[in-house]
Amino acid sequence: MAERPFIVGNWKMNGTRSMLSEARAIDRASQRLMKVEVALAPPYTLIHAVHKEVEQIGVGAQDCHPAEGTAHTGDVSAAMVLDAGAKFVILGHSERRQGHGEDDSMVKSKAASAIAAGLRIIICCGESEAVRDAGEEESFVLGQIRASLPDDLDNAAATLTIAYEPIWAIGTGKTPSAENVGAMHRAIRALLVQLYGEEHGAAVRILYGGSVKPDNALELLGADEVGGALVGGASLTAESFLGIVLAAAELPE
Ligand code: 13P
């Protein structure tokens, strides 16, 4: 594995200030698990509060607007999430692609804006059940990644993380087999090497997301070319999220 495993909790539209105690507990335990890079992406309303609460773990946003500022009522720019304490932003999550009609070109312009503001980016990709049933998941996912990545990425390894999240596995309790995850991650790796060269392409972390839980984390994290996990439901309590972080700490280096 190129780097420490990266375990990111995506709180989605969950979290009020009462959940800051979970963030604090995750942070304290992570200080003893330095083999793993741990981060949380709370909703916008909690980014600053979580940032103030934690010492060790990273804090990120779940989205940003592609424009730099001005008249976009209800939107939040990359510079604003950076100012609130975010170091990275998740872009192109399937819930945004489906619920907000975001296409690859929108994700690409958000990515360019986030990088210009100084954020790291996590670009999400993943196929629907219908695409998988048709046996087209690999070409679909690689197409999504190609079209969502910004054109000129100076230091891909330091800036970019990919998250492969099959839509049918999100929040369903269903997951692909470790073999299927490994096959997709190998295909994504080959594309990254083609785009960014051997050194940078090999160092970009590729996370798996979709129903990762403490009891399946070791198997999924151990699949080929898996560099960590993007966790939804199981990131909402310190107990379940730390179960996944602990599994990552058990992986051979
Ligand atoms: P679940 O872990 O709840 O399946 O969500 C995965 C996800 O969408 C993370 O971004």
Side-chain angles (χ1 to χ4, degrees), residues 1-238:
M1 196 172 295
E3 266 221 61
R4 293 188 294 167
F6 190 21
I7 307 295
V8 183
N10 174 8
W11 278 7
K12 306 191 179 185
M13 200 171 71
N14 296 286
T16 54
R17 284 176 296 158
S18 64
M19 265 175 72
L20 291 174
S21 56
E22 301 297 328
R24 199 163 44 235
I26 290 165
D27 183 64
R28 297 299 176 269
S30 297
Q31 291 175 18
R32 297 189 300 276
L33 295 165
M34 299 292 283
K35 284 169 66 179
V36 185
E37 184 177 351
V38 180
L40 286 176
Y44 289 136
T45 47
L46 286 183
I47 290 174
H48 190 60
V50 172
H51 165 69
K52 299 280 278 181
E53 203 67 51
V54 301
E55 291 171 9
Q56 174 65 33
I57 66 171
V59 182
Q62 300 171 17
D63 184 41
C64 67
H65 194 276
E68 278 180 23
T70 73
H72 296 285
T73 302
D75 283 314
V76 178
S77 72
M80 289 160 73
V81 298
L82 184 82
D83 180 62
K87 295 283 186 287
F88 67 91
V89 59
I90 298 169
L91 295 172
H93 193 284
S94 58
E95 286 153 12
R96 295 211 58 85
R97 292 178 185 265
Q98 291 183 327
H100 297 262
E102 289 190 9
D103 59 8
D104 294 334
S105 70
M106 171 60 85
V107 177
K108 180 173 173 163
S109 59
K110 289 183 174 196
S113 170
I115 289 167
L119 292 165
R120 288 161 61 193
I121 55 173
I122 299 178
I123 300 273
C124 301
C125 57
E127 81 285 357
S128 65
E129 194 148 36
V131 169
R132 178 160 285 257
D133 287 348
E136 288 164 3
E137 66 275 13
E138 197 174 296
S139 59
F140 179 85
V141 165
L142 297 185
Q144 258 188 335
I145 296 173
R146 272 183 191 282
S148 302
L149 286 174
D151 288 327
D152 41 2
L153 211 50
D154 272 351
N155 187 349
T159 316
L160 173 67
T161 298
I162 300 285
Y164 168 57
E165 301 202 305
I167 295 169
W168 52 272
I170 294 176
T172 59
K174 291 194 271 183
T175 62
S177 65
E179 289 72 32
N180 284 344
V181 171
M184 181 63 83
H185 281 229
R186 281 194 302 274
I188 295 171
R189 173 70 66 212
L191 173 62
L192 293 170
V193 167
Q194 185 191 329
L195 292 173
Y196 302 119
E198 190 58 52
E199 192 190 338
H200 283 288
V204 174
R205 282 181 294 196
I206 310 169
L207 313 183
Y208 168 77
S211 295
V212 179
K213 308 286 175 207
D215 60 0
N216 64 15
L218 197 55
E219 190 187 357
L220 291 164
L221 288 167
D224 259 7
E225 300 289 355
V226 173
L230 184 54
V231 184
S235 71
L236 295 175
T237 66

